[in-house]
Amino acid sequence: MAALLLGTALGLAVPAQARVTRIVIDARTTVTGQALAYEQIRGRAFGELDPADAKNAVVTDIALGVSADGKLRYEVPFSLTKPVDLSAASGFLWHDVPNRGGNVALGVVERGLGDIGLVSGWQADNAGSTVIPADRATGTNFWAAVPMARQGGQLVTGKVLGRIINQSGVASQPLVVSRASSPIPYLPASLDTTQATLTIIDKETVDGKVTVGGTVPSGDWAFARCDAANPFPGTPIDIDPAKLPSNLPVHVCVKGGFQAGKLYQVVYTGTNAYVLGAGLAAFRDVGSFFRYAQADDAGTPNPIASAVKGSAVRGVSQSGNMIRQLIYLGMNQDEANRRVYDGAWPQIAGRRVSANSRFALPDGTLELYQMGSEGAQWWVDWADTARGLPTRGIFTRCSASNTCPKVFEHFGSSEVYALKMTTEWVGTGADVDIPVTRNVRRYYVGSTTHGGGGGGFVHLPATTTGASCPGNNYGRGTLLANPVPLTQLINVLRLAMRDWVLQDKAPPPSRYPTLIGGTLVEPTQAAMGFPSGVPGIPASTFLPENFVWPVFDYDWGSGFNHADATGVPTQVPPTIKKVIPMRVPKVDADGNELGGVPTVLTMAPLGTYLGWNIGAAGFFAGQVCNYVGGYVPFARTRAERQQTGDPRPSLEERYVNHAGYVAAVREAARKAFEQGFLLAADRDSLVQAAEDSTVLK
């Protein structure tokens, strides 16, 4: 369907190189609320990729997505937020990467300084991938429309894995990207369940040990929708690719219903394999067009032509992983061999997104049997000793073309425990600190949850309910939500990146735990120095089967390039050849992490702040609770802590009274400011917030 949609999009002469050939402006709206007049422009970019261009050859299945003239075509929506008067523009462009196709905070730029914001689509699977919204003026969809891979005019097929977790009852359930809520985007090629397998998993440990509970007979399940009023075998799902995305998600119905507390794993032959890597190339081309082009092939002017002096690409979580993959694939070099972005800022993102292999799942979160850790995760060329892969780094290709950007990367603790980040720091050997180059700054914010908490100085929150674990049907954790924020660091880095790009002003130095510094250690309670007896944290938490998701050395089959994470996986699910050792930050006597960026709430703590939580119930009970952090408050008084056996000093023992706590916050804010990790305005507001709090009142 996408091929049909895009094949007629352009009626212009075919240029020699891959690039954006046409833009369409759908709407202009005034942005109010600031002194400098801004406007937002929404539109679409149309472009084409030439499989013969070496810069596009890395795109998996690109030759299987071309039109009759041998070019692959795409369409992506974009949004520009710019000063109405371009003479007032600063010359700095932020290109934001949407997360899972959704809208992002458009125009989150320094408007008072005249910066420009750009958002454009890149993810080419899932709901909306084949159709750009009809309401182009106001729609918030930021997918990329690309063709599906075909051979001999027929859609290619291959093995796809889907999972259903923690469900019970007779109603059918959707196949989702493991614990994430996004649907598996690939339809079955056939409704014949004899050509598929439905396996019941009784247990699955964090370190990859799987206990199989049996296989459901093919006659006892169906690709169908059912419920109590429409019992098994239910109504067969529609597997016509022409009806995508309305016929997603894929539903499975089981005779007798699903058993509570089990994991159901489906392996089936899928179809509609999007040429996903074309979406990455489209993002590259859009960034290049708005930075360098004067007009498209039809003469439509670039709305910010000649206004960009420097640019940076920015993305959070999945979007940050996309940036790392973009750079690794050499896509910071455009069709004219120019650097697309001067700066790059992948936030809370420690891997490369799975978006350039056949039947890849960009929405994955690195759970069991999900891609994302394949190949080099570090910046410099480094030997992948444990997996025996070629010596490479994320900068390998851009170093050869002199197109590497200046990089900020910042992470928190949840990225260590659930998103396998420290392999980037110490390699698959986990025995030496991998150096970073002079154009990379790494900032680790210890004791934080994924994306940071809500901040504030609240000792005991109003709710006593455990934090919600991200993902579909994962449940809650046993520990409270972690409030430690990333906001103040982001405020610093947003200004520091533009100054680094436009003025070559050096940003704050890297700050993260290291092996040589003794702040990065084995993931055991003893090596970490984690105190025993902290309320709500049993010793079993630290067992390898529950604690710290490792990197797995998967064998995806001979058709898959395990270094680049490209090609065609033929072994699904993959075998686990090896479990890669992980490292985690050392902690202080309270259990708060050492070696990272100074943050006020951890320097003047109200409790122990964790990058992990503990699953409360269901299939993953007792294990690290996905990528969500936890919080264990200190006792208020010595008598209270002695009653529970808490080894950590109470608030009164630490600070005496409210004034003592405010003084501790003031000193912490001073230190963070002097080290360059806190703006003056944030320093003052944090001290005021501590004064206004009820801590020890």
Side-chain angles (χ1 to χ4, degrees):
M1 181 177 178
L4 294 175
L5 172 70
L6 300 174
T8 58
L10 298 172
L12 305 172
V14 179
Q17 293 176 314
R19 59 191 173 92
V20 169
T21 56
R22 181 165 69 102
I23 62 169
V24 174
I25 306 299
D26 293 310
R28 291 177 183 260
T29 57
T30 300
V31 180
T32 59
Q34 66 281 316
L36 183 61
Y38 263 73
E39 65 176 345
Q40 186 181 102
I41 300 172
R42 294 191 65 94
R44 289 158 288 143
F46 298 85
E48 58 187 30
L49 303 177
D50 183 355
D53 188 326
K55 291 180 286 296
N56 299 321
V58 72
V59 173
T60 293
D61 287 338
I62 186 171
L64 304 185
V66 298
S67 300
D69 63 356
K71 301 297 193 296
L72 181 149
R73 289 179 170 77
Y74 59 79
E75 177 188 355
V76 292
F78 68 83
S79 176
L80 272 173
T81 305
K82 57 176 278 292
V84 174
D85 180 4
L86 272 184
S87 67
S90 67
F92 191 75
L93 171 70
W94 284 110
H95 192 174
D96 282 319
V97 184
N99 187 296
R100 291 171 171 79
N103 206 336
V104 294
L106 302 180
V108 180
V109 295
E110 299 300 325
R111 295 184 188 173
L113 300 176
D115 291 352
I116 300 169
L118 169 65
V119 183
S120 64
W122 67 275
Q123 189 174 342
D125 72 323
N126 223 312
S129 58
T130 56
V131 180
I132 302 298
D135 186 356
R136 305 179 192 280
T138 60
T140 58
N141 182 294
F142 279 93
W143 300 95
V146 304
M148 299 171 188
R150 296 176 182 270
Q151 288 181 314
Q154 301 298 312
L155 293 173
V156 301
T157 61
K159 294 298 182 183
V160 175
L161 182 147
R163 298 180 137 201
I164 298 166
I165 303 170
N166 281 345
Q167 291 298 317
S168 62
V170 299
S172 62
Q173 296 297 325
L175 295 183
V176 296
V177 183
S178 194
R179 304 176 200 177
S181 57
S182 305
I184 297 287
Y186 306 113
L187 298 170
S190 169
L191 294 176
D192 183 0
T193 54
T194 65
Q195 300 179 31
T197 304
L198 178 60
T199 304
I200 301 174
I201 307 296
D202 288 338
K203 184 177 181 181
E204 186 176 278
T205 65
V206 166
D207 57 352
K209 298 180 179 67
V210 176
T211 303
V212 176
T215 301
V216 180
S218 59
D220 288 351
W221 69 280
F223 289 111
R225 290 178 179 266
C226 63
D227 53 32
N230 179 29
F232 179 86
T235 303
I237 64 172
D238 191 335
I239 58 173
D240 182 356
K243 296 181 181 179
L244 285 164
S246 62
N247 50 354
L248 289 177
V250 174
H251 267 247
V252 168
C253 180
V254 175
K255 185 178 182 179
F258 293 91
Q259 302 176 46
K262 303 290 186 180
L263 186 154
Y264 288 76
Q265 182 168 287
V266 186
V267 178
Y268 64 96
T269 300
T271 185
N272 63 281
Y274 305 98
V275 184
L276 294 175
L280 301 175
F283 190 91
R284 169 200 68 192
D285 291 352
V286 169
S288 175
F289 176 86
F290 284 108
R291 175 169 187 175
Y292 292 115
Q294 294 296 308
D296 68 9
D297 287 7
T300 303
N302 173 1
I304 56 172
S306 302
V308 179
K309 300 175 184 176
S311 68
V313 60
R314 174 176 57 179
V316 179
S317 190
Q318 181 224 32
S319 307
N321 297 327
M322 177 273 199
I323 293 172
R324 296 164 65 87
Q325 179 74 318
L326 191 86
I327 298 170
Y328 176 82
L329 294 175
M331 289 186 181
N332 200 40
Q333 178 187 16
D334 72 4
E335 72 284 346
N337 300 318
R338 299 168 297 197
R339 181 183 293 113
V340 181
Y341 307 109
D342 301 298
W345 187 6
Q347 304 177 23
I348 56 172
R351 63 183 178 95
R352 300 186 348 240
V353 75
S354 171
N356 191 29
S357 61
R358 189 179 295 176
F359 294 111
L361 296 173
D363 283 349
T365 56
L366 282 189
E367 293 152 21
L368 190 63
Y369 305 141
Q370 290 186 3
M371 295 180 188
S373 294
E374 289 74 19
Q377 305 299 326
W378 40 87
W379 297 100
V380 300
D381 286 353
W382 197 259
D384 194 338
T385 54
R387 295 184 291 198
L389 295 177
T391 297
R392 291 184 185 172
I394 294 177
F395 276 168
T396 297
R397 287 184 172 94
C398 67
S399 293
S401 60
N402 194 31
T403 56
C404 293
K406 297 176 176 178
V407 173
F408 284 167
E409 55 176 14
H410 81 257
F411 315 95
S413 182
S414 287
E415 287 75 64
V416 166
Y417 289 96
L419 297 176
K420 314 184 182 187
M421 185 186 68
T422 56
T423 300
E424 181 205 353
W425 302 356
V426 297
T428 55
D431 55 356
V432 64
D433 298 307
I434 299 177
V436 293
T437 67
R438 59 187 178 87
N439 60 328
V440 173
R441 297 292 188 276
R442 176 178 295 155
Y443 305 111
Y444 180 74
V445 187
S447 297
T448 50
T449 191
H450 188 62
F457 300 97
V458 178
H459 174 226
L460 297 176
T463 178
T464 59
T465 304
S468 178
C469 300
N472 186 61
N473 304 313
Y474 192 93
R476 289 190 173 274
T478 62
L479 307 177
L480 296 170
N482 184 332
V484 178
L486 297 177
T487 305
Q488 288 77 32
L489 176 65
I490 291 172
N491 291 342
V492 168
L493 297 185
R494 190 168 62 246
L495 294 173
M497 175 58 80
R498 68 187 308 282
D499 290 346
W500 199 15
V501 168
L502 294 179
Q503 304 173 28
D504 202 27
K505 180 180 177 181
S510 295
R511 188 77 66 85
Y512 60 98
T514 61
L515 295 172
I516 196 171
T519 49
L520 197 64
V521 297
E522 292 185 358
T524 66
Q525 185 174 7
M528 294 166 64
F530 197 93
S532 298
V534 175
I537 303 179
S540 60
T541 299
F542 301 95
L543 295 175
E545 68 174 23
N546 296 327
F547 195 57
V548 187
W549 293 0
V551 168
F552 297 111
D553 182 13
Y554 292 123
D555 182 1
W556 291 98
S558 59
F560 184 76
N561 182 323
H562 291 79
D564 278 357
T566 57
V568 182
T570 55
Q571 190 158 287
V572 179
T575 56
I576 298 174
K577 298 190 295 181
K578 190 176 297 183
V579 179
I580 305 301
M582 305 301 291
R583 297 293 179 260
V584 301
K586 195 174 180 62
V587 301
D588 63 17
D590 294 323
N592 289 317
E593 293 179 349
L594 302 170
V597 169
T599 57
V600 170
L601 199 52
T602 56
M603 296 167 76
L606 297 171
T608 299
Y609 306 104
L610 305 164
W612 44 271
N613 212 309
I614 305 167
F619 188 77
F620 296 105
Q623 297 182 8
V624 171
C625 176
N626 218 316
Y627 44 96
V628 63
Y631 168 52
V632 184
F634 297 140
R636 179 183 173 91
T637 66
R638 181 177 182 179
E640 288 178 5
R641 78 171 179 86
Q642 288 178 332
Q643 186 176 9
T644 62
D646 192 337
R648 306 165 302 161
S650 66
L651 291 182
E652 286 186 354
E653 291 173 286
R654 294 166 186 271
Y655 307 116
V656 180
N657 53 30
H658 179 73
Y661 183 68
V662 173
V665 169
R666 182 178 291 108
E667 177 63 10
R670 180 190 67 79
K671 290 180 179 178
F673 171 74
E674 290 182 352
Q675 293 176 46
F677 292 104
L678 193 62
L679 299 178
D682 286 338
R683 174 199 61 196
D684 297 342
S685 66
L686 286 170
V687 173
Q688 185 61 54
E691 290 179 344
D692 295 340
S693 76
T694 60
V695 175
L696 287 176
K697 277 189 176 178

